[in-house]
Amino acid sequence: MSIRKIIEYPEEVLAKVGKPVTKFDEELKNLCADMFKTMYDAEGVGLAAPQIGLNLRLFVMDCEGIKLVAANPEIVSTEGEQSGQEGCLSVGKIPAVVIRANKVRLKAQNERGEWFEQAVEALAARCFLHETDHCDGKLFIDHLPKLRREMVVKKFRKEKRLK
Ligand code: NI
């Protein structure tokens, strides 16, 4: 198991629609183990494959007691609304308020390739949506109004220069 380098905005891979996961083998298991390790090391609650430079529809998460691998994730349904702070390991964890659905049902494959569906609420729902977005080449800042998006990007660039 190793910690992978986290790819940051505005790298191109973060804006690409991921390719489906087709092989559910030892290599995928090792990749997921690396992704969990990388996510915990960065103190995140979710991490998608594009964030380590892989153009794949795959994410791992450990949020509100829900720990899972989701390959080829699809949002089956959403309900309600929540407003809350969100951040991303690829955008320096700069927080911004994003409006999301409050209840989300996700369909995906686990690391053995078995399909499952899971319905969650609140923060875990936010996480499902955020990570599935990554698989579609979208970042949370894409949900922000233009000015707030620019503010987040500016702050991120500034903090990066200071590091
Ligand atoms: Ni993210």
Side-chain angles (χ1 to χ4, degrees), residues 66-78:
I66 297 160
K67 182 179 174 182
L68 53 81
V69 166
N72 303 320
E74 289 169 38
I75 303 298
V76 179
S77 63
T78 62

Side-chain angles (χ1 to χ4, degrees), residues 20-122:
V21 175
T22 53
K23 276 190 198 157
F24 295 86
D25 53 8
E26 209 54 35
E27 202 181 320
L28 183 74
K29 281 200 184 97
N30 293 334
L31 171 60
C32 292
D34 280 4
M35 285 172 69
F36 274 117
K37 196 166 185 192
T38 306
M39 180 186 82
Y40 292 134
D41 178 66
E43 295 176 1
V45 293
L47 184 78
Q51 296 183 275
I52 55 163
L54 300 172
N55 183 30
L56 267 184
R57 306 186 70 77
L58 174 70
F59 73 74
V60 299
M61 96 176 214
D62 189 350
C63 176
E64 306 263 280
I66 297 160
K67 182 179 174 182
L68 53 81
V69 166
N72 303 320
E74 289 169 38
I75 303 298
V76 179
S77 63
T78 62
E79 207 186 307
E81 204 177 88
Q82 58 169 316
S83 176
Q85 289 215 326
E86 201 168 315
C88 179
L89 297 176
S90 293
V91 197
K93 294 187 185 168
I94 309 283
V97 172
V98 184
I99 294 164
R100 298 275 196 185
N102 190 48
K103 290 184 182 179
V104 172
R105 177 175 282 274
L106 179 97
K107 184 184 163 190
Q109 283 166 284
N110 64 20
E111 59 185 10
R112 290 179 301 279
E114 298 152 357
W115 286 97
F116 65 91
E117 277 194 28
Q118 189 152 357
V120 295
E121 292 181 30

Side-chain angles (χ1 to χ4, degrees), residues 3-4 16 29 36 60 76 91 93 96 131 135 137-138 140 145 155:
I3 294 168
R4 308 281 189 109
K16 278 188 179 159
K29 281 200 184 97
F36 274 117
V60 299
V76 179
V91 197
K93 294 187 185 168
E131 301 309 329
C135 299
K138 266 193 261 169
F140 83 105
K155 202 167 171 199

Side-chain angles (χ1 to χ4, degrees), residues 128-146:
F128 271 1
L129 293 166
H130 180 116
E131 301 309 329
T132 303
D133 269 357
H134 272 302
C135 299
D136 289 322
K138 266 193 261 169
L139 295 175
F140 83 105
I141 53 174
D142 296 329
H143 292 280
L144 300 176
K146 191 165 170 267

